[in-house]
């Protein structure tokens, strides 16, 4: 039997060696990492609003708040710089990696946790404003980017995903230090939800929650899969369903005409712009960079099959490729894509 590694051993291990480790054997703790400080900041923000509620936290595979638990899970890769690097190599992006983004997600999870702590979703007005908490989670949702019924906090119009997400997002906007939500959402129907959160938080300030459970769900120590299995599953989860026939769209950007035979190939062109295209589309749509990169990889393969070349001026072709990828990503979000529920 192999001995479990120590935290400092991880720095010396290759990606392949790390991938053989089981999650339960990872020597990780929240204490002593930047996560500890970030959690204490969120608790201080709650404290500043007079709320006695303090969510408990633990490490797991992903960000989530389990049903009826007044605390939340933090992904393990944020607890060690070596695993942070592995996550980026495997998934191209580290969800919650930057401090500001991490705090945003923590506020969102604290919103679910306080909802559970005080069972706020059982209130009539909550149901009227946000909808039914017990509604099944959809596999996908179709966001309306211009809707003013919902606040904007996490990417991809996440408040529109489910009533529970709508509440968590509204709570996050309300909790954010220095948030000028009254002015920012003036004239938006979403303002009523913010005012409701403000009133409810005023009411429960100084009171002890009914649900004081300190249970954890899927704690890292219970997860027997290896990192290799974990990443295979995670990548499968993020895969898009690629539309069967988009050759026509590609032919609007690239060319098969004989007079363009000496121009650069579409394959080398897309490869050169790969990182920046993924980044820009992820920024604009909120989809995971891994999913967009997969789509771009398929696009590159198709361009190779069709022997396409860059007929347009390069900057023009880049813009058109950006638009096509964005449209396909939005279609993907609508038809087959699901984010991991934060
Ligand atoms: Zn959520």
């Amino acid at each position: 039997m192999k001995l479990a590694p120590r935290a400092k051993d991880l720095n010396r291990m290759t990606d392949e060696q790390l991938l053989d480790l089981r999650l339960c054997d990872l020597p990780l703790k929240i204490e002593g990492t930047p996560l500890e400080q970030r959690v204490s900041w969120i608790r201080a923000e709650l404290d500043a609003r007079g709320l006695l509620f303090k969510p408990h936290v633990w490490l797991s595979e992903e960000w989530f708040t389990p049903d009826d638990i007044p605390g939340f899970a933090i992904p393990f890769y944020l607890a060690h710089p070596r695993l942070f690097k592995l996550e980026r190599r495997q998934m191209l992006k580290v969800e919650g990696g930057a401090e500001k983004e991490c705090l945003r997600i923590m506020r969102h999870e604290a919103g679910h946790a306080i909802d559970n702590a005080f069972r706020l979703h059982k209130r009539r007005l909550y149901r009227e404003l946000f909808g039914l908490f017990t509604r099944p989670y959809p596999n996908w949702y179709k966001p309306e980017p211009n809707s003013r019924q919902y606040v904007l906090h996490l990417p991809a119009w996440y408040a529109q995903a489910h009533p529970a997400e709508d509440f968590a997002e509204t709570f996050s906007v309300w909790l954010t230090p220095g948030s000028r939500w009254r002015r920012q959402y003036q004239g938006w129907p979403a303002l009523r939800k913010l005012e409701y959160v403000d009133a409810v938080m005023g009411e429960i300030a100084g009171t002890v929650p009914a649900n004081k459970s300190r249970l954890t769900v899927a704690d890292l120590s219970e997860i027997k899969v290896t990192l290799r299995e974990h990443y295979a599953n995670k990548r499968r989860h993020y895969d898009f369903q690629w539309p069967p026939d988009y050759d026509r769209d590609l032919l609007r950007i690239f060319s098969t005409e004989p007079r363009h035979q000496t121009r650069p190939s579409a394959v080398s062109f897309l490869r050169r712009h790969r990182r920046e295209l993924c980044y820009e589309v992820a920024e604009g749509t909120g989809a995971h960079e891994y999913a967009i990169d997969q789509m771009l990889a398929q696009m590159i393969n198709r361009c190779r099959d069709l022997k396409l070349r860059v007929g347009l001026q390069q900057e023009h072709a880049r813009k058109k490729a950006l638009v096509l990828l964005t449209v396909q990503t939005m279609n993907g979000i609508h038809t087959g894509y699901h984010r991991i529920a934060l």
Side-chain angles (χ1 to χ4, degrees):
M1 215 180 79
K2 267 197 285 186
L3 279 176
R6 291 164 301 172
K8 61 178 183 185
D9 296 335
L10 298 183
N11 290 321
R12 290 199 298 266
M13 296 175 76
T14 63
D15 283 9
E16 285 304 305
Q17 289 170 324
L18 286 172
L19 289 169
D20 285 333
L21 294 177
R22 298 188 305 172
L23 276 77
C24 58
D25 294 328
L26 294 172
L28 303 177
K29 294 196 297 262
I30 291 173
E31 294 73 41
T33 71
L35 290 173
E36 184 179 26
Q37 192 179 37
R38 293 173 193 172
V39 171
S40 74
W41 284 337
I42 297 297
R43 289 180 177 150
E45 289 174 11
L46 295 165
D47 208 47
R49 306 295 184 127
L51 295 163
L52 298 182
F53 168 69
K54 303 288 175 286
H56 63 296
V57 295
W58 65 95
L59 294 175
S60 185
E61 283 183 275
E62 300 297 342
W63 290 105
F64 69 97
T65 304
D67 283 350
D68 210 33
I69 302 284
F72 59 86
I74 299 174
F76 66 93
Y77 55 76
L78 295 178
H80 195 290
R82 182 65 186 92
L83 295 168
F84 187 104
K85 270 191 207 150
L86 183 70
E87 175 79 10
R88 194 166 49 204
R89 193 106 34 111
Q90 292 284 323
M91 300 304 301
L92 303 173
K93 167 179 191 333
V94 181
E95 193 134 44
E99 183 173 279
K100 212 170 157 185
E101 186 197 9
C102 185
L103 290 170
R104 276 172 180 270
I105 300 175
M106 283 183 174
R107 283 186 200 105
H108 175 97
E109 300 303 344
H112 288 310
I114 201 167
D115 189 346
N116 292 339
F118 290 91
R119 305 203 164 96
L120 301 175
H121 50 269
K122 295 206 190 291
R123 297 178 174 221
R124 189 180 51 83
L125 206 49
Y126 180 116
R127 282 203 302 270
E128 281 177 22
L129 285 168
F130 299 100
L132 204 54
F133 181 86
T134 50
R135 196 174 85 194
Y137 260 79
N139 283 333
W140 56 273
Y141 63 102
K142 185 170 180 169
E144 288 173 36
N146 297 319
S147 174
R148 294 187 156 209
Q149 306 281 343
Y150 302 88
V151 298
L152 299 168
H153 175 67
L154 293 177
W157 306 277
Y158 198 52
Q160 300 186 31
H162 187 271
E165 303 307 334
D166 191 8
F167 176 83
E169 288 286 89
T170 307
F171 175 84
S172 307
V173 169
W174 173 83
L175 183 66
T176 304
S179 166
R180 296 191 187 89
W181 54 268
R182 275 202 180 83
R183 196 162 50 170
Q184 196 186 342
Y185 289 96
Q186 199 175 25
W188 289 42
L191 186 62
R192 275 194 66 209
K193 297 176 183 173
L194 281 158
E195 281 168 343
Y196 173 76
V197 167
D198 192 49
V200 169
M201 295 305 142
E203 180 200 317
I204 64 177
T207 68
V208 176
N211 178 357
K212 295 191 258 321
S213 164
R214 280 294 179 258
L215 281 178
T216 64
V217 172
D219 188 274
L220 200 61
S221 63
E222 300 161 9
I223 302 173
K224 308 291 184 211
V225 298
T226 63
L227 281 165
R228 194 181 307 282
E229 290 159 339
H230 162 79
Y231 281 117
N233 291 336
K234 187 167 178 175
R235 284 205 297 263
R236 205 159 33 238
H237 183 89
Y238 276 120
D239 273 341
F240 271 108
Q241 291 185 4
W242 184 250
D245 180 21
Y246 61 99
D247 289 356
R248 262 188 335 167
D249 297 312
L250 289 177
L251 285 163
R252 284 197 202 102
I253 308 175
F254 303 113
S255 164
T256 50
E257 289 178 41
R259 67 192 170 102
H260 291 136
Q261 281 317 295
T262 57
R263 305 294 301 269
S265 72
V267 170
S268 65
F269 174 81
L270 287 174
R271 279 203 185 130
R272 199 163 60 244
H273 294 286
R274 189 165 183 163
R275 282 314 298 263
E276 103 208 23
L277 285 170
C278 282
Y279 176 78
E280 285 179 42
V281 176
E283 280 279 298
T285 62
H288 198 290
E289 269 181 70
Y290 171 77
I292 297 161
D293 190 65
Q294 286 296 100
M295 205 159 51
L296 195 49
Q298 297 186 52
M299 192 187 276
I300 289 171
N301 283 339
R302 193 63 190 144
C303 286
R304 185 182 296 110
D305 293 344
L306 298 173
K307 300 188 171 60
L308 298 181
R309 301 212 161 248
V310 184
L312 298 167
Q313 188 249 334
Q314 300 240 355
E315 183 50 28
H316 193 188
R318 198 191 73 87
K319 277 193 189 135
K320 285 195 155 200
L322 182 67
V323 171
L324 175 58
L325 263 179
T326 302
V327 169
Q328 298 294 18
T329 302
M330 292 310 289
N331 289 342
I333 287 175
H334 294 174
T335 55
Y337 178 66
H338 35 115
R339 286 174 62 85
I340 285 178
L342 285 167

